[in-house]
Amino acid sequence: MKILVCISKTPDTTAKIAFTDNNRKFVTEGVQWILNPYDEWYALVRAIEIKEKDPSTALHLIMVGGADCDAVIRKALALGGDEAIRVNAEPRDSFYVASQIANVAKGAGYDLIFTGKETIDFNGASVGGMIAGLLELPFISLAARFDLSGNEATLIREIEGGEETVSVKLPLVIGCQKGMAEQRIPNMKGIMGARSKPLKVVEPVAAESFTEIVSFELPPVKKGVKLVPADNPEELVRLLHEEAKLI
Amino acid sequence: MSVLIFIDHSEGKIKKTSLEAICYGAALAKQTGVPAEGILLGTVSEDLGSLGKYGIQKIHTVSQESLNQLDAEQYIRIISTVAGTCGATIIVLSHTNTGRAISPGLSVRLKAGLVTGATALPETSAGFLVKKNVFSGKAFCTVSIKTDTKIISLNPNVFPVKTGEGSAEIIAENIPVGPPVVTIKSVSKATGEILLTEAEIVVSGGRGMKGPENWGPIEELAKLLHAATACSRPVADAGWRPHNEHVGQTGIAIAPNLYIAIGISGAIQHLAGVNRSKVIVVINKDPEAPFFKSADYGIVGDAFEILPKLISAVKKLKGVA
Ligand SMILES: Cc1cc2nc3c(=O)[nH]c(=O)nc-3n(C[C@H](O)[C@H](O)[C@H](O)COP(=O)(O)OP(=O)(O)OC[C@H]3O[C@@H](n4cnc5c(N)ncnc54)[C@H](O)[C@@H]3O)c2cc1C
Ligand SMILES: Nc1ncnc2c1ncn2[C@@H]1O[C@H](COP(=O)(O)O)[C@@H](O)[C@H]1O
């Protein structure tokens, strides 16, 4: 079994979101970078579980990004995985990133490619499906459970208002979300071991980008809360009915 | 040239999110001076021609029963084919679970730039600029699509459904449907319930509700308001509520017209999933709870005392005994 896990870095979930340069750039000063939670908790941990069950599994991590990603990649390696590949390029857009990953994966014989459901900064929910499209593999998005029996995977995927159990032959690309695995904390052994694991840096191939971020904006600030006395919820109902006209 | 809108359905009925997508696509077609066409895969019990009242001129159909369930590979192939024959330069779908499954693949196949989670009509006077939600609801960004063909997936509940006049011409497409690559073994779906992602009102409970046995009033309030129910992450993690109710940064992101948060502190990761709600009501016994900073209306007090009174006030308003 050969597995590729696509990981990305995002600002810590409590990071202050601010923009500079005429709202064209995200302010990175003081921002702590973390592994995208969907990639870490669900995609990577599930892949590690597969390797734990079958130690002959080769588990590779891949990130498209500059040298500033290496610290986060080491953190991922501290959780598990044999080696990491960093494609040395700024992620220009989803298609560009997917093209880089597909290029590395092409002909490399991966049985499973795990991605997160989406990044929590760009919220693209695109890279996984695009890798699948480029490699002409099936893509299961919003997977909440994954089981393997021989060459066949059984997955639970979320559909609106419920879930579906599906089966599909390997190889495939999976978008992982809650339910796939449980969050893990790296232990000392993992952290020490991560230092000596290979982190291969490869140069990008020429690839198109289809889109470009032009500017950012923050949502309008709230006017402030209108408080209603606790002994008078009727007043809240009146306000929602007459003022907000929502009920 | 045309705008092609993917029309999704469930249990024979067109989804509300698809009606939003149709209205969005029709508005975009008008803005760019081209016709709006739809594509519907599978079978529905509704009269499709009447969808013309949302501003759509033609609907391409492939009425195969097997397409009633998501089959991403076939969907992508068929939509691409129809997009080719009707010369679609813009494809619109909803950023729903189905949309997530097919839009990236369509983007690759059509070499079309994709923006997921659009929150407004594009700016088309110079270039093609789409506003989308980023940083999990904490900001927006404007993305320029540079390719000739463009794909937009629209966030649920951001574009109003407006009805006008007209009827749509139905074009049955003769496109062969291959066997599915992904076999659907079983489906479990709550029927008749209001979907969290589609709901206009959401009533949500947090750890302040103390335990699963106390959810009766939340469910009752939700029912009275025709609302969906949601919860914070620790509530789902503890198994008090099903996982599909978990909203926030690592759960579902929603944007209802009204979000009522009861016994939820308003942690930044929770807000990330709900801060696009148009109006937020917070009920919390702690006046310092961070959620009040993001709220429009609030009550500082004990949920267990407030809820019964709130429920009877809503009953009175709705004329229910
Ligand atoms: C990476 C990461 C991702 C996360 N993702 C999510 C996410 O997606 N969604 C999410 O919700 N959280 C998420 N969290 C967790 C988040 O940080 C908070 O811990 C969580 O939202 C708190 O849930 P809560 O408000 O229900 O509970 P608490 O923080 O315990 O708050 C309970 C609230 O109830 C009030 N209360 C208590 N008793 C009563 C009463 N009788 N009447 C009225 N009010 C009462 C209290 O004053 C308090 O404000 C994430 C955390 C991390 C680190
Ligand atoms: N720069 C990147 N390098 C490697 N994988 C990525 C990168 N960006 C996104 N991904 C993967 O694609 C998934 C979806 O990302 P997105 O389409 O940006 O929401 C993420 O959860 C990752 O698994």
Side-chain angles (χ1 to χ4, degrees), chain A residues 13 34 37 41, chain B residues 205-210 231-235 246-251 262-270 283-286 289-290 301-304:
Chain A
T13 53
I34 59 166
W41 305 351
Chain B
R207 207 146 53 176
M209 290 308 294
K210 307 282 190 286
C231 68
S232 67
R233 181 170 153 215
V235 164
H246 158 196
V247 292
Q249 187 128 36
T250 46
I262 305 165
I264 304 177
S265 59
I268 191 159
Q269 297 93 352
H270 184 83
I283 298 175
N284 195 304
K285 69 173 183 193
D286 175 11
D302 186 342
F304 296 97

Side-chain angles (χ1 to χ4, degrees), chain B residues 216-269:
Chain B
I218 290 194
E219 284 177 343
E220 187 179 0
L221 183 61
K223 201 159 181 194
L224 284 167
L225 295 172
H226 299 289
T229 48
C231 68
S232 67
R233 181 170 153 215
V235 164
D237 283 351
W240 296 0
R241 299 296 294 173
H243 280 296
N244 56 17
E245 284 197 1
H246 158 196
V247 292
Q249 187 128 36
T250 46
I252 299 171
I254 54 171
N257 299 340
L258 175 60
Y259 183 72
I260 304 178
I262 305 165
I264 304 177
S265 59
I268 191 159
Q269 297 93 352

